[in-house]
Amino acid sequence: MIPHTIEIHGPEFRAMHERVMEVTALTSRLNTLPFDDEAGKAALFAQILGRPLPGDVTIYPPFFTDDGRNITFGGRVFLNQNCTLLDNAGITLGHRTMIGPGVTFITSGHPVDPADRKLYLTGAPIVLEENVWVGAGATILPGVMIGQDSVIAAGAVVADDVPPRTLVAGPKAGAVRTW
């Protein structure tokens, strides 16, 4: 897992880059297997995740990640097809979490300041508590915690924590500051 900030030209970044290249090759193979090739999918998921995919977790390919080893699954988690989990800072999917198609989780980014943007990578973990439903095409940004039983509407961009038993919807974009 990446700490909050790493130097792009440093050894941690180089190691992360090597893992991204390895996992990109593995997910490319996963995403071309016949859907009913359970043994092939299980073998590739074990390499991608660094451990076997739990038997009560369902992931429909295509599936994308940049590391895979920093994803924690609760029981009975479901990920629909075409999801992206950029997990370098860690992603936790609580028990009975349902993830719609085309959902993106992003745990890393870059500083806003242009002088630092190409020098550093920043990151913060994403945590979904138990029984969360994330609708199709939603994007969950670094550092977000989504409370138990909450629903993220399709297409929502979630940049702030979501309290338990809450429905959130809509885009987040808007001018925040200028420089």
Side-chain angles (χ1 to χ4, degrees), residues 20-170:
V20 168
M21 294 297 100
E22 176 185 353
V23 171
T24 299
L26 292 168
T27 56
S28 293
R29 290 177 37 212
L30 171 75
N31 295 334
T32 61
L33 286 177
F35 187 76
D36 61 354
D37 185 352
E38 295 299 329
K41 289 191 299 187
L44 286 167
F45 273 123
Q47 291 178 63
I48 292 165
L49 302 172
R51 65 199 178 286
L53 182 67
D56 61 350
V57 172
T58 301
I59 300 176
Y60 287 169
F63 170 80
F64 305 94
T65 186
D66 59 353
D67 188 300
R69 299 172 299 185
N70 303 313
I71 304 169
T72 302
F73 297 100
R76 296 175 48 208
V77 168
F78 173 78
L79 276 86
N80 211 322
Q81 57 192 345
N82 206 32
C83 289
T84 300
L85 285 75
L86 303 183
D87 66 303
N88 278 307
I91 297 172
T92 300
L93 302 175
H95 296 292
R96 297 185 324 275
T97 298
M98 297 185 310
I99 309 299
V103 171
T104 301
F105 294 86
I106 303 170
T107 64
S108 58
H110 298 272
V112 173
D113 184 335
D116 291 336
R117 197 173 300 155
K118 293 186 179 185
L119 299 176
Y120 300 101
L121 187 66
T122 60
I126 294 171
V127 176
L128 277 63
E129 293 183 342
E130 190 171 321
N131 204 36
V132 170
W133 174 24
V134 181
T139 300
I140 314 300
L141 297 176
V144 167
M145 175 178 273
I146 300 174
Q148 181 174 337
D149 298 322
S150 290
V151 175
I152 308 304
V157 177
V158 184
D160 299 313
D161 289 351
V162 176
R165 295 171 303 285
T166 302
L167 167 65
V168 296

